[in-house]
Amino acid sequence: MTPSTPWVHQAIARIEADFCRSADTHLIALPLPGWAAHGIDFYLKDESTHPTGSLKHRLARSLFLYALCNGWVHEGTTIVEASSGSTAVSEAYFARLLGLPFIAVMPGTTSQEKLDQIAHYGGRCHFVEKACEVYAAAQALAKATGGHYMDQFTHAERATDWRGNNNIAQSMFEQMAHERHPVPRWIVVGAGTGGTSATIGRFLRYRRHASQLCVADPTGSVFSAYHRLRDSTLTAPGSRIEGIGRPRVEPSFIPSLIDRMVEVRDGDSLAAMHALSDLLGRRVGPSTGTNLVAMLELAQEMKARGESGALLSLLCDSGERYRQTYFDPAWALQRFGDTAPALAQVRAHLLG
Ligand SMILES: *Cc1c(COP(=O)(O)O)cnc(C)c1O
């Protein structure tokens, strides 16, 4: 084993100091009086308030620490990542913190807002035509630069300390302590890498909580079929909801930890994104809409069975990142058609 250099020690210390300066994210209780009257409460953990604006801030911190402690990253190492956007923004932040060059490999369709943010943190972007090309292109680029391919899709499930140590699951349960249903009946998340669902699923079993874990999966993603069939060679067309749903089975997606998959149509995700943005008075991203659709489906089932309890999910990122895409009426109409009927339906469901 090569001993760690003073630079590696200092890099780890810098990330730890940055963590020490950061605050936990808020757990929002959704104001839904109709549902509350049935004894059903909705919560969203607001991951949009991290310095880099999404839940990927946690992942990027874990991936850098994992790579540094494995001896994969040294002074001057170019960091390369395959990312549709959010991970790249967060990794660019940590690369800059450590003074390392950063290159994100992504499809050319990634929103301009995200490209601007990556550039803001000093990162560079490398475009591929098809989403499925990002992995090989990132690997090749790392080789060519003598850099390190961070590989979020492989390492997300193992880089985070799932037993606790400030992971997202531990924080959720601490923040629920004074609620009328402190142990949620359902926790609902999306899956991009699958890292968030793996961390929460393991934590639930380790702490022997009664909560069940649901993954909200968008149209075109392979994860639902994989959960049903457990065939890792399956492929799918790919998702149109940024951040979640994948065309191939990612190594970090662990189906045995997930109790339930809910498939969500894109029009419903968009409608829920708008309805929730109105409810909160600020914009949320499309994957948060997907989460809300699954929460409402589970809540309807609870109500039909006469069950009470809490549903908890994530506000994954802010809608401000999608001003020129999902929130642009012309852009959305062209891709997803008329979502007005779906919006009316979501609004009705929110009444309880
Ligand atoms: C990555 C991402 C998710 C899913 O999280 P994973 O831990 O990668 O499965 C959900 N929403 C957004 C906006 C994301 O960027």
Side-chain angles (χ1 to χ4, degrees), residues 29 36 138 315:
L315 198 171

Side-chain angles (χ1 to χ4, degrees), residues 22 42 72 79-80 86 89 108 118 125 161 166 195 205 235 350:
S22 73
F42 289 66
W72 294 340
I79 305 297
V80 184
S86 286
V89 176
I118 294 162
C125 297
D161 300 335
N166 253 297
R205 290 191 180 177
T235 58
L350 285 172

Side-chain angles (χ1 to χ4, degrees), residues 5-6 11 28 35 49 73 78 114 127 135 142 156 171-172 184 197 220 238 252 255 280 283 293 314 330 339 352:
T5 62
I28 300 169
W35 283 106
T49 60
V73 169
T78 297
K114 281 189 183 162
F127 298 106
Y135 317 96
S171 165
M172 283 173 170
S197 54
S252 280
L280 294 176
R283 288 174 169 185
V293 175
L314 306 179
T339 54

Side-chain angles (χ1 to χ4, degrees), residues 172-173 176 181-187 210-212 309-312:
M172 283 173 170
F173 276 87
M176 287 293 287
H181 307 295
V183 174
R185 174 77 183 76
W186 284 102
I187 296 177
S211 311
Q212 288 194 285
L311 298 118
L312 197 155

Side-chain angles (χ1 to χ4, degrees), residues 54-56 59 86-87 190-197 242-244 287 316-317 322:
S54 81
L55 77 174
K56 291 302 192 311
L59 175 63
S86 286
T87 303
T193 63
T196 304
S197 54
E242 214 166 297
I244 57 168
S287 74
C316 302
D317 63 0
Y322 309 97

Side-chain angles (χ1 to χ4, degrees), residues 34-118:
W35 283 106
H38 293 295
I40 297 176
D41 301 325
F42 289 66
Y43 298 87
L44 290 178
K45 189 154 173 64
D46 185 2
E47 295 292 294
S48 74
T49 60
H50 290 291
T52 58
S54 81
L55 77 174
K56 291 302 192 311
H57 197 78
R58 296 177 189 271
L59 175 63
R61 183 196 295 126
S62 296
L63 287 170
F64 270 87
L65 286 172
Y66 189 67
L68 286 163
C69 294
N70 279 332
W72 294 340
V73 169
H74 305 278
E75 187 169 7
T77 302
T78 297
I79 305 297
V80 184
E81 183 62 290
S83 166
S84 65
S86 286
T87 303
V89 176
S90 299
E91 287 187 11
Y93 170 93
F94 284 100
R96 191 181 71 168
L97 185 72
L98 305 186
L100 299 174
F102 177 77
I103 307 173
V105 180
M106 58 180 65
T109 51
T110 305
S111 64
Q112 185 62 42
E113 289 93 332
K114 281 189 183 162
L115 304 185
D116 292 345
Q117 280 174 303
I118 294 162

Side-chain angles (χ1 to χ4, degrees), residues 153-171:
F153 293 107
T154 299
H155 296 129
E157 60 90 4
R158 67 194 73 159
T160 298
D161 300 335
W162 51 269
R163 291 173 196 84
N165 188 17
N166 253 297
N167 72 39
I168 192 169
Q170 182 182 28
S171 165

